Amino acid sequence: MDQHGCAKNQVDAEIIASKLIDDGFEMADSYDAADFIIVNSCGFIESAKKESLEAVYSIRKAYPKKKIILTGCLAERYAETLQENLPETDGIFGNGDLLLISQFLNSVKKKKHQVLKSEQKGVCCYKRNYFATFKNSAYVKITEGCSNHCSFCAIPVIRGELRSRPVKEVIAEIKSLLKQDFFEINLIGQDLAAYGTGKEDKSIFKHSDKSYLSLLLDEISKIKGNFWLRLLYIHPDHFSSDIVESIKKDKRILSYFDIPFQSGDTDIIHLMNRIGSRKKYEALVKNIRKELGDCVIRTTFMTGFPGETDEAFENTLSFMKAIKPDWSGCFTYSAEDDTPAKGFKNKVPKGIAEKRASILESTQEEITQKKLASRIGKEYDVLIEEVIDGEDDNGYAIARAWFQAPDVDGAFVVRYDKDDKKAVKAVCPGSIVKVKAVRVSGIDIDSVLV
């Protein structure tokens, strides 16, 4: 399987693979040995679309006789168009009911260039026996779709309006993963703060004075055992203070917040169809840090949104310097089909948007390095992702501490003595070891085994 896109898309890929395995298909060790090659695509922004399509072209060129199936957001969004204009694929499979994948592949054996798009309803789930993550770390999807309708975003078009999984179902999956020795559970959704608030959700969620996300966290806290629980993606306009209260009660729920502010200019924020403001967003960050102390703020910024003047960009830059996020990503605006922003005037030239993104990225790197420097000399429990065979007397491993999310943040480089049998046994993928941070290297931390 050729995987593209976000963690939510990755969970879909894991469900697809798990279902196929359970239905008698075998996971091939290489494309050479495969009958079907599945390209799980991303359709969020233009660059991601191109990446997914180029993957199809290159795979078809390298494996002209294989059956190529396009799945994921791009397949869902442009199914009919791709059926007509992408002969390199043998089938287009949407992301509605993923459990129909075996049936679809069997039908493709008989007839090429088929399309299957099923209704966007509920949250498609399945007991996974295949994971594309590093050992003992998993993503758990608690919502599907989105009802925020940010003016630049096509997610509601692709995945539909917000739907949430029942609390008992989420708890059952987490317990199942913990029994399989998973240590890090990453809750994901387009907007975790909106959990339980969709139109479909009214039939399964009773009215509460607390946010449904905090209620879910309280239920997770009742689970026994040692684990990390990480929250990924919380819309700043919907952030409820009771989330912080739930985290304060349970240290296993990490004080790590992925809050995509997108801009620090209030006018641009409103053009994005958001109700917040720079002042409110600064207050949110200040309050989180006041309540939790050592916590992490990750965010995302967009440059080149229609109407972003030099002054508006400077407001975003000064906002970044004011809140000093521990981590941030940055991408340039992409005019997406069926989104209001595509029709907005005052377009920003691509070159200017890219230059602004570069400024934000370099500024963030400076902020991150200073924050990491404050952690030098301290000891941390880290989750080992992979072990690297060093050429000298040292062994090396790549790991993450609680303040580093998978795939998007920096990492720990762990150094240990290869002749120390105890250390060699301890440092293996999926294990938790204690290390001492000794120096900052870019956005990573060099460390030694304690």
Side-chain angles (χ1 to χ4, degrees):
M1 181 175 289
D2 189 64
Q3 171 62 28
H4 300 268
C6 65
K8 295 178 287 295
N9 210 37
Q10 180 175 311
V11 170
D12 288 352
E14 293 170 350
I15 290 174
I16 287 172
S18 298
K19 176 60 174 172
L20 288 171
I21 292 169
D22 286 348
D23 287 347
F25 289 81
E26 294 182 12
M27 181 70 72
D29 294 329
S30 66
Y31 289 165
D32 285 315
D35 295 317
F36 291 93
I37 299 175
I38 297 175
V39 178
N40 196 40
S41 65
C42 178
F44 184 54
I45 57 177
E46 192 62 30
S47 59
K49 296 177 198 173
K50 289 181 179 179
E51 178 185 294
S52 296
L53 289 173
E54 287 171 359
V56 172
Y57 299 144
S58 62
I59 291 172
R60 173 55 71 205
K61 184 177 181 180
Y63 304 96
K65 295 183 179 181
K66 303 294 183 182
K67 288 182 172 59
I68 299 176
I69 306 298
L70 185 70
T71 63
C73 287
L74 190 66
E76 174 71 21
R77 190 175 185 187
Y78 300 108
E80 291 75 17
T81 300
L82 292 171
Q83 183 184 32
E84 295 179 8
N85 300 291
L86 193 64
E88 290 83 359
T89 62
D90 296 281
I92 309 292
F93 183 79
N95 56 21
D97 188 351
L98 303 174
L99 304 187
L100 296 175
I101 185 64
S102 298
Q103 173 186 322
F104 183 69
L105 261 58
N106 286 326
S107 67
V108 171
K109 290 179 181 178
K110 303 174 183 177
K111 183 181 178 181
K112 292 184 177 181
H113 307 304
Q114 293 196 56
V115 168
L116 178 58
K117 281 183 63 176
S118 51
E119 184 182 4
Q120 292 284 355
K121 186 177 181 180
V123 183
C124 186
C125 302
Y126 191 74
K127 186 175 181 181
R128 289 169 285 168
N129 50 42
Y130 167 83
F131 295 89
T133 49
F134 286 105
K135 191 174 181 180
N136 292 347
S137 175
Y139 295 106
V140 172
K141 189 189 294 189
I142 66 171
T143 68
E144 183 60 276
C146 184
S147 298
N148 289 327
H149 294 279
C150 295
S151 62
F152 58 85
C153 183
I155 292 300
V157 178
I158 301 171
R159 290 185 176 265
E161 297 294 312
L162 173 75
R163 294 95 68 193
S164 307
R165 295 175 67 186
V167 171
K168 289 183 179 179
E169 191 176 291
V170 176
I171 297 298
E173 180 170 11
I174 292 175
K175 286 183 176 179
S176 175
L177 290 170
L178 295 178
K179 286 181 180 179
Q180 298 174 63
D181 293 328
F182 280 87
F183 177 75
E184 179 182 51
I185 306 297
N186 301 285
L187 297 188
I188 58 172
Q190 199 61 33
D191 175 12
L192 295 187
Y195 175 71
T197 64
K199 290 181 179 179
E200 287 187 18
D201 299 340
K202 293 180 180 179
S203 62
I204 57 174
F205 290 88
K206 295 180 180 180
H207 176 72
S208 172
D209 293 330
K210 294 185 66 175
S211 70
Y212 295 111
L213 178 58
S214 68
L215 292 174
L216 174 62
L217 296 179
D218 291 344
E219 289 301 310
I220 292 174
S221 288
K222 296 177 183 179
I223 300 175
K224 296 180 180 180
N226 186 29
F227 56 87
W228 284 348
L229 186 85
R230 191 186 304 276
L231 310 178
L232 294 178
Y233 200 105
I234 300 177
H235 193 296
D237 292 347
H238 303 151
F239 196 104
S240 177
S241 60
D242 57 13
I243 299 171
V244 172
E245 293 304 313
S246 294
I247 292 174
K248 287 168 71 173
K249 296 174 185 176
D250 191 342
K251 292 183 179 180
R252 299 174 302 175
I253 306 175
L254 305 180
S255 299
Y256 181 107
F257 302 94
D258 184 353
I259 310 173
F261 292 114
Q262 305 299 1
S263 176
D265 180 85
T266 300
D267 289 340
I268 295 296
I269 291 169
H270 292 166
L271 282 173
M272 291 178 170
N273 196 34
R274 296 183 166 203
I275 61 175
S277 66
R278 171 176 176 158
K279 184 177 180 180
K280 289 180 179 179
Y281 293 167
E282 285 187 3
L284 173 60
V285 173
K286 183 178 180 180
N287 184 65
I288 291 172
R289 287 175 171 155
K290 177 183 176 182
E291 292 295 321
L292 293 172
D294 187 11
C295 61
V296 166
I297 302 294
R298 158 168 271 281
T299 190
T300 306
F301 291 107
M302 177 192 298
T303 60
F305 188 82
E308 185 187 57
T309 61
D310 289 340
E311 181 182 1
F313 170 69
E314 288 299 326
N315 286 338
T316 295
L317 181 59
S318 64
F319 173 69
M320 171 187 272
K321 292 178 179 178
I323 67 168
K324 293 182 173 57
D326 297 77
W327 310 98
S328 76
C330 185
F331 62 100
T332 59
Y333 169 74
S334 174
E336 294 302 310
D337 295 335
D338 304 313
T339 61
K342 187 173 183 178
F344 288 0
K345 298 179 180 180
N346 302 318
K347 308 293 185 186
V348 178
K350 184 177 180 180
I352 292 177
E354 290 175 343
K355 183 177 180 181
R356 290 172 179 171
S358 179
I359 292 171
L360 290 181
E361 288 166 354
S362 61
T363 302
Q364 180 61 59
E365 186 171 352
E366 292 177 7
I367 294 171
T368 296
Q369 288 179 343
K370 288 180 180 178
K371 285 183 172 287
L372 293 179
S374 69
R375 298 188 181 279
I376 299 307
K378 299 178 182 179
E379 295 183 356
Y380 296 95
D381 289 331
V382 297
L383 173 62
I384 302 294
E385 290 189 332
E386 57 182 322
V387 177
I388 302 169
D389 188 17
E391 296 180 357
D392 53 20
D393 293 334
N394 291 315
Y396 297 92
I398 305 300
R400 288 182 295 103
W402 70 268
F403 54 85
Q404 298 162 318
D407 299 323
V408 292
D409 298 335
F412 269 72
V413 178
V414 181
R415 176 165 47 90
Y416 60 97
D417 186 352
K418 287 195 295 187
D419 292 329
D420 185 336
K421 294 183 179 179
K422 184 177 180 181
V424 171
K425 184 178 180 180
V427 180
C428 58
S431 66
I432 307 298
V433 298
K434 188 174 290 294
V435 300
K436 182 177 181 179
V438 295
R439 70 179 63 84
V440 176
S441 178
I443 59 170
D444 297 327
I445 292 178
D446 292 335
S447 65
V448 293
L449 195 64
V450 175

